Amino acid sequence: MLKSEIYVPVGKRNVAYAVTAALFALLITKFFILQIYRHDSLFEQSEDNRVRFITTYAPRGKVLDRNGSILVANRAVYTISVIRDEAVEEEQELRTVADYLGMTIEEVNRNLNKYYRGRFLPARIARDVPIERLSLVEEHRNQLPGVIYSEFPVRFYPELEEVRASHVLGYLREITSSELGNSDYLPGDFIGAQGVEKEFESVLRGEKGTSFQQVDAYGRQVGTVEERTPIPALPGEDIRLTIDRNLQGNIEDILEGEIGAAVVLDAVMGEVLAMVSKPDYSLEDFAGFMEADVWGKYLNDSDNPLLNRAVQGIYPPGSAMKLITTIAALEDGLVDPRRTVSCSGTYHYGDRDYGCWKEEGHGNVNLSKAIVESCNIYFYQLMERIKLDSWHRYATMFGFGEKSGVEVSEEYGGIVPNTAFMDGKYGRRGWTKGYLLNMAIGQGDILATPLQMAQFAALLATKGEMPKLTLLQVQSESKTKRVHDRLYLKQSTWSRIRRMLFDVVNSSDGTAYSPYFADSAINYFGKTGTAQNPHGEPHAWFIGFAEKGAKKIALAVLIEHGGTGGSAAAPPAARIVRDYFRDEEGQLTLR
Amino acid sequence: MIPLVTKLGSASIRWLMVSFVLVGFGLIALYSIASDAEEISLSSRFVKHALWILPSLIIFVVCFSPSTKTIHKFAYTAFGVGLCLLLVPFLTGTVAGTHRWISMGSVNFQPSEPIKWLLVIALARYLSDYNLEMKKIYSLAFPIVMVLIPAAVILRQSDLGSAIIVLTPVIPMLYWVDAKPVHLFLLVAPILSIVTAFNYYSFTLWIIILSVILYRSRSTLRVS
């Protein structure tokens, strides 16, 4: 026999009965009070005191350019939601509302399941509802208990006709279930997916609020709840970018129809004045709720407009890297700038011939002529004297091989090979000095982004004093917080490089000669690049900087498969510089 | 195995009545809060909820069928399975922002519901199997731990109500097996202290009662 079946003392049993009876008495008393004694007053209250919690969405912060022009603002769209607990004949209601909204019942049910968070919470079934359809639903509100509408802020681009800046500004997309995790986002919320929208998500997003509506038993709004103060939505903070809308828009026009990128920096402040990647996308397509076919169109576009080539495109830098080779040789005392090398168009090293872009050769070239006319043979021979790791050290000093840290989360760091890299890729005995000759002229395994190339030009312009790059405009005193690791080179090296870069664009022999600047007050410097690649025509590069008074800008222009740097990249670069300074002086009004 | 009819016949009518009266209370409450209660039909909310009585009755009969010995034999196993089920919602993700439910398509199952009675059965077996010296305070330790584990897990699921329900039966059960009332009083005293602390008068009254009880129990509580 189990112990539980043993006789229980009467006293203890009576206590159990007494306690049970007492608890029941309590329950019955409370029940009597609620169901009978206070029935009338509670019934009356229940008719109009149900509280509905409505989420109010916070408008995201605006995005302004450096002069305060609004690049991104907000507008409201209407969404329709269903609170399942308040729906009486749910299926019938959903069919009716689907009919009013011009949707199929399958679409409505799919959205209902996707955004369902509980019986008492609104689940969004339709978005971006036109006002005429919303009116139809509202007119029949009495037959649709539990169906409510709300405003939802989406992005709006007031200057889209003048400036797109798609890749800089980025877009929002609906949060995925994996991102929801333990975050305070809700299904259906929008989150920054690219550009500054993503980078400054926490600043821009703001905080949702809650309003309390008093509704009757049929879900009809009968007023606000006086005892509960609404929690207002807190708008996100505005941010001011360093982007100059005039310059950005002008470059977008100049590069229209090309596949490439251009970056312009304020070399003194380290600020990104313009960052253009072409082709780009229409921000309006991403402003609210994107349709699947539009998204598919972008994904399947072979020109890849979603790619921000300025920071995600990695290309062989071509002849601009001759400057790194020059700097390494000058700093380590491995070159006499006056010594000449004979260029016959080819150079035999090991068991193969290395060519110059000028097949008939440059004749006798010294260092200056080699830069100005971009002679490959000179640099093949120079590289023979430079150790790979020394060359790598100078390249990384100028920011190659690592992210610049500009506030674009998608930035790539590129590649600058060193001995460890080459050993890892080809094996310790798998590569020879011959591999390095190509690197001297920016070919081979080295890869860089247009932003890195512009940063390189800016460091040359400022003799290594430029602060770290930023897209966010801050008070000038904060500039000290962004100090780049100061780059120390011999004064003679800086001067020599500067003089050679000046000649590239101002000497008639220069690969980027532009007569306009010879008669201008603008001091313009630069270097072309023509990067061979196995996929077709070479990529055309131009990097440079320009000074006028205290103003100093640096830029990089890349045209994918554009041909030579001198013919394809230098002309748009010259136009960018010319227009920028004319706009600054009010001689030309861009946009 | 005793036939079900025989078992039902020998069941304590008073305790069965208690159960059905509670169900009756639930139905009345449900009827009064359903906004569409006036129109009783198969699609009305009241009927939809009330229909759950049918599967509940089936489960009642199924649970009632096994003999006491069978229930005794599998009490710990069932409790162990119940504890494991309590952890499943932490692995399957949140439902409505909490870890209370195991989602099974259109039906959500709340494992903290069966643990309420599985714990009572397991605790009953423990308290009846051994000749525990319930007059000694240390004998209370294991039953308390047995109760605290599921309560802590349920609390972690963000379900304070169920956690309190899981904790509550241990007091009458310990009383049933001859635990000293003063020991049980000491168990609930901290909770009562917290509850009364929000009001000056109730807290003063509580302190007076506490002092009187402690004074009268001084010989029982003396540690030698």
PDB file of all heavy atoms in Angstrom, chain B residues 164-181:
ATOM      1  N   ILE B 164       4.533  31.478  -9.998  1.00  0.00           N
ATOM      2  CA  ILE B 164       3.934  31.531  -8.651  1.00  0.00           C
ATOM      3  C   ILE B 164       3.052  30.302  -8.418  1.00  0.00           C
ATOM      4  O   ILE B 164       3.088  29.684  -7.358  1.00  0.00           O
ATOM      5  CB  ILE B 164       3.128  32.846  -8.477  1.00  0.00           C
ATOM      6  CG1 ILE B 164       4.100  34.033  -8.433  1.00  0.00           C
ATOM      7  CG2 ILE B 164       2.287  32.800  -7.207  1.00  0.00           C
ATOM      8  CD1 ILE B 164       3.425  35.390  -8.465  1.00  0.00           C
ATOM      9  N   ILE B 165       2.311  29.919  -9.470  1.00  0.00           N
ATOM     10  CA  ILE B 165       1.436  28.738  -9.333  1.00  0.00           C
ATOM     11  C   ILE B 165       2.263  27.479  -9.074  1.00  0.00           C
ATOM     12  O   ILE B 165       1.890  26.619  -8.291  1.00  0.00           O
ATOM     13  CB  ILE B 165       0.561  28.579 -10.598  1.00  0.00           C
ATOM     14  CG1 ILE B 165      -0.449  29.730 -10.661  1.00  0.00           C
ATOM     15  CG2 ILE B 165      -0.162  27.240 -10.611  1.00  0.00           C
ATOM     16  CD1 ILE B 165      -1.249  29.792 -11.931  1.00  0.00           C
ATOM     17  N   VAL B 166       3.421  27.376  -9.728  1.00  0.00           N
ATOM     18  CA  VAL B 166       4.290  26.214  -9.527  1.00  0.00           C
ATOM     19  C   VAL B 166       4.827  26.186  -8.096  1.00  0.00           C
ATOM     20  O   VAL B 166       4.956  25.123  -7.474  1.00  0.00           O
ATOM     21  CB  VAL B 166       5.440  26.241 -10.569  1.00  0.00           C
ATOM     22  CG1 VAL B 166       6.552  25.306 -10.181  1.00  0.00           C
ATOM     23  CG2 VAL B 166       4.903  25.867 -11.938  1.00  0.00           C
ATOM     24  N   LEU B 167       5.110  27.362  -7.561  1.00  0.00           N
ATOM     25  CA  LEU B 167       5.689  27.433  -6.209  1.00  0.00           C
ATOM     26  C   LEU B 167       4.661  27.096  -5.121  1.00  0.00           C
ATOM     27  O   LEU B 167       4.994  26.483  -4.104  1.00  0.00           O
ATOM     28  CB  LEU B 167       6.225  28.859  -5.952  1.00  0.00           C
ATOM     29  CG  LEU B 167       7.535  29.242  -6.625  1.00  0.00           C
ATOM     30  CD1 LEU B 167       7.806  30.728  -6.414  1.00  0.00           C
ATOM     31  CD2 LEU B 167       8.693  28.430  -6.074  1.00  0.00           C
ATOM     32  N   THR B 168       3.435  27.491  -5.348  1.00  0.00           N
ATOM     33  CA  THR B 168       2.433  27.469  -4.273  1.00  0.00           C
ATOM     34  C   THR B 168       2.140  26.082  -3.661  1.00  0.00           C
ATOM     35  O   THR B 168       2.109  25.963  -2.437  1.00  0.00           O
ATOM     36  CB  THR B 168       1.118  28.110  -4.795  1.00  0.00           C
ATOM     37  OG1 THR B 168       1.452  29.348  -5.405  1.00  0.00           O
ATOM     38  CG2 THR B 168       0.142  28.338  -3.665  1.00  0.00           C
ATOM     39  N   PRO B 169       1.940  25.008  -4.460  1.00  0.00           N
ATOM     40  CA  PRO B 169       1.492  23.741  -3.856  1.00  0.00           C
ATOM     41  C   PRO B 169       2.450  23.151  -2.833  1.00  0.00           C
ATOM     42  O   PRO B 169       2.045  22.335  -2.003  1.00  0.00           O
ATOM     43  CB  PRO B 169       1.358  22.797  -5.054  1.00  0.00           C
ATOM     44  CG  PRO B 169       1.300  23.660  -6.241  1.00  0.00           C
ATOM     45  CD  PRO B 169       2.070  24.876  -5.906  1.00  0.00           C
ATOM     46  N   VAL B 170       3.719  23.547  -2.890  1.00  0.00           N
ATOM     47  CA  VAL B 170       4.683  22.919  -1.980  1.00  0.00           C
ATOM     48  C   VAL B 170       4.328  23.178  -0.504  1.00  0.00           C
ATOM     49  O   VAL B 170       4.554  22.320   0.352  1.00  0.00           O
ATOM     50  CB  VAL B 170       6.127  23.392  -2.306  1.00  0.00           C
ATOM     51  CG1 VAL B 170       6.380  24.798  -1.847  1.00  0.00           C
ATOM     52  CG2 VAL B 170       7.135  22.447  -1.697  1.00  0.00           C
ATOM     53  N   ILE B 171       3.718  24.300  -0.219  1.00  0.00           N
ATOM     54  CA  ILE B 171       3.401  24.621   1.184  1.00  0.00           C
ATOM     55  C   ILE B 171       2.329  23.666   1.743  1.00  0.00           C
ATOM     56  O   ILE B 171       2.595  22.973   2.743  1.00  0.00           O
ATOM     57  CB  ILE B 171       2.961  26.102   1.320  1.00  0.00           C
ATOM     58  CG1 ILE B 171       4.065  27.040   0.787  1.00  0.00           C
ATOM     59  CG2 ILE B 171       2.605  26.442   2.769  1.00  0.00           C
ATOM     60  CD1 ILE B 171       5.367  26.980   1.562  1.00  0.00           C
ATOM     61  N   PRO B 172       1.139  23.549   1.094  1.00  0.00           N
ATOM     62  CA  PRO B 172       0.162  22.593   1.640  1.00  0.00           C
ATOM     63  C   PRO B 172       0.661  21.144   1.621  1.00  0.00           C
ATOM     64  O   PRO B 172       0.327  20.361   2.512  1.00  0.00           O
ATOM     65  CB  PRO B 172      -1.055  22.766   0.731  1.00  0.00           C
ATOM     66  CG  PRO B 172      -0.603  23.519  -0.447  1.00  0.00           C
ATOM     67  CD  PRO B 172       0.569  24.330  -0.009  1.00  0.00           C
ATOM     68  N   MET B 173       1.486  20.812   0.613  1.00  0.00           N
ATOM     69  CA  MET B 173       1.973  19.421   0.555  1.00  0.00           C
ATOM     70  C   MET B 173       2.913  19.119   1.711  1.00  0.00           C
ATOM     71  O   MET B 173       2.871  18.034   2.300  1.00  0.00           O
ATOM     72  CB  MET B 173       2.663  19.175  -0.791  1.00  0.00           C
ATOM     73  CG  MET B 173       1.661  19.134  -1.944  1.00  0.00           C
ATOM     74  SD  MET B 173       2.429  18.758  -3.506  1.00  0.00           S
ATOM     75  CE  MET B 173       2.651  16.995  -3.366  1.00  0.00           C
ATOM     76  N   LEU B 174       3.749  20.069   2.039  1.00  0.00           N
ATOM     77  CA  LEU B 174       4.656  19.856   3.173  1.00  0.00           C
ATOM     78  C   LEU B 174       3.860  19.811   4.476  1.00  0.00           C
ATOM     79  O   LEU B 174       4.174  19.039   5.386  1.00  0.00           O
ATOM     80  CB  LEU B 174       5.708  20.981   3.218  1.00  0.00           C
ATOM     81  CG  LEU B 174       6.771  20.920   2.108  1.00  0.00           C
ATOM     82  CD1 LEU B 174       7.669  22.153   2.148  1.00  0.00           C
ATOM     83  CD2 LEU B 174       7.620  19.664   2.226  1.00  0.00           C
ATOM     84  N   TYR B 175       2.833  20.620   4.533  1.00  0.00           N
ATOM     85  CA  TYR B 175       1.975  20.595   5.718  1.00  0.00           C
ATOM     86  C   TYR B 175       1.331  19.217   5.862  1.00  0.00           C
ATOM     87  O   TYR B 175       1.242  18.642   6.946  1.00  0.00           O
ATOM     88  CB  TYR B 175       0.896  21.686   5.589  1.00  0.00           C
ATOM     89  CG  TYR B 175      -0.179  21.594   6.637  1.00  0.00           C
ATOM     90  CD1 TYR B 175       0.084  21.970   7.961  1.00  0.00           C
ATOM     91  CD2 TYR B 175      -1.443  21.094   6.316  1.00  0.00           C
ATOM     92  CE1 TYR B 175      -0.904  21.848   8.928  1.00  0.00           C
ATOM     93  CE2 TYR B 175      -2.423  20.980   7.273  1.00  0.00           C
ATOM     94  CZ  TYR B 175      -2.154  21.358   8.579  1.00  0.00           C
ATOM     95  OH  TYR B 175      -3.125  21.225   9.533  1.00  0.00           O
ATOM     96  N   TRP B 176       0.909  18.666   4.725  1.00  0.00           N
ATOM     97  CA  TRP B 176       0.241  17.350   4.696  1.00  0.00           C
ATOM     98  C   TRP B 176       1.150  16.254   5.233  1.00  0.00           C
ATOM     99  O   TRP B 176       0.694  15.291   5.815  1.00  0.00           O
ATOM    100  CB  TRP B 176      -0.168  17.051   3.254  1.00  0.00           C
ATOM    101  CG  TRP B 176      -1.274  16.055   3.125  1.00  0.00           C
ATOM    102  CD1 TRP B 176      -1.177  14.765   2.685  1.00  0.00           C
ATOM    103  CD2 TRP B 176      -2.639  16.261   3.450  1.00  0.00           C
ATOM    104  NE1 TRP B 176      -2.380  14.162   2.699  1.00  0.00           N
ATOM    105  CE2 TRP B 176      -3.323  15.059   3.181  1.00  0.00           C
ATOM    106  CE3 TRP B 176      -3.360  17.339   3.971  1.00  0.00           C
ATOM    107  CZ2 TRP B 176      -4.693  14.900   3.390  1.00  0.00           C
ATOM    108  CZ3 TRP B 176      -4.718  17.182   4.167  1.00  0.00           C
ATOM    109  CH2 TRP B 176      -5.386  15.983   3.877  1.00  0.00           C
ATOM    110  N   VAL B 177       2.454  16.394   5.008  1.00  0.00           N
ATOM    111  CA  VAL B 177       3.374  15.332   5.474  1.00  0.00           C
ATOM    112  C   VAL B 177       4.041  15.726   6.793  1.00  0.00           C
ATOM    113  O   VAL B 177       5.170  15.339   7.089  1.00  0.00           O
ATOM    114  CB  VAL B 177       4.455  15.001   4.419  1.00  0.00           C
ATOM    115  CG1 VAL B 177       3.845  14.312   3.232  1.00  0.00           C
ATOM    116  CG2 VAL B 177       5.214  16.244   4.001  1.00  0.00           C
ATOM    117  N   ASP B 178       3.357  16.546   7.553  1.00  0.00           N
ATOM    118  CA  ASP B 178       3.749  16.830   8.937  1.00  0.00           C
ATOM    119  C   ASP B 178       4.935  17.769   9.092  1.00  0.00           C
ATOM    120  O   ASP B 178       5.649  17.693  10.101  1.00  0.00           O
ATOM    121  CB  ASP B 178       4.052  15.521   9.694  1.00  0.00           C
ATOM    122  CG  ASP B 178       2.762  14.783  10.006  1.00  0.00           C
ATOM    123  OD1 ASP B 178       1.707  15.447   9.997  1.00  0.00           O
ATOM    124  OD2 ASP B 178       2.832  13.564  10.230  1.00  0.00           O
ATOM    125  N   ALA B 179       5.200  18.610   8.102  1.00  0.00           N
ATOM    126  CA  ALA B 179       6.236  19.625   8.323  1.00  0.00           C
ATOM    127  C   ALA B 179       5.725  20.576   9.400  1.00  0.00           C
ATOM    128  O   ALA B 179       4.510  20.770   9.537  1.00  0.00           O
ATOM    129  CB  ALA B 179       6.502  20.393   7.042  1.00  0.00           C
ATOM    130  N   LYS B 180       6.644  21.132  10.184  1.00  0.00           N
ATOM    131  CA  LYS B 180       6.210  22.024  11.264  1.00  0.00           C
ATOM    132  C   LYS B 180       5.603  23.305  10.681  1.00  0.00           C
ATOM    133  O   LYS B 180       6.229  23.943   9.818  1.00  0.00           O
ATOM    134  CB  LYS B 180       7.409  22.399  12.124  1.00  0.00           C
ATOM    135  CG  LYS B 180       7.736  21.360  13.175  1.00  0.00           C
ATOM    136  CD  LYS B 180       8.757  21.923  14.127  1.00  0.00           C
ATOM    137  CE  LYS B 180       8.964  20.950  15.265  1.00  0.00           C
ATOM    138  NZ  LYS B 180       9.985  21.409  16.182  1.00  0.00           N
ATOM    139  N   PRO B 181       4.442  23.694  11.122  1.00  0.00           N
ATOM    140  CA  PRO B 181       3.834  24.926  10.589  1.00  0.00           C
ATOM    141  C   PRO B 181       4.760  26.130  10.705  1.00  0.00           C
ATOM    142  O   PRO B 181       4.798  26.967   9.810  1.00  0.00           O
ATOM    143  CB  PRO B 181       2.588  25.104  11.455  1.00  0.00           C
ATOM    144  CG  PRO B 181       2.238  23.721  11.886  1.00  0.00           C
ATOM    145  CD  PRO B 181       3.529  23.003  12.058  1.00  0.00           C
TER     146      PRO B 181
END
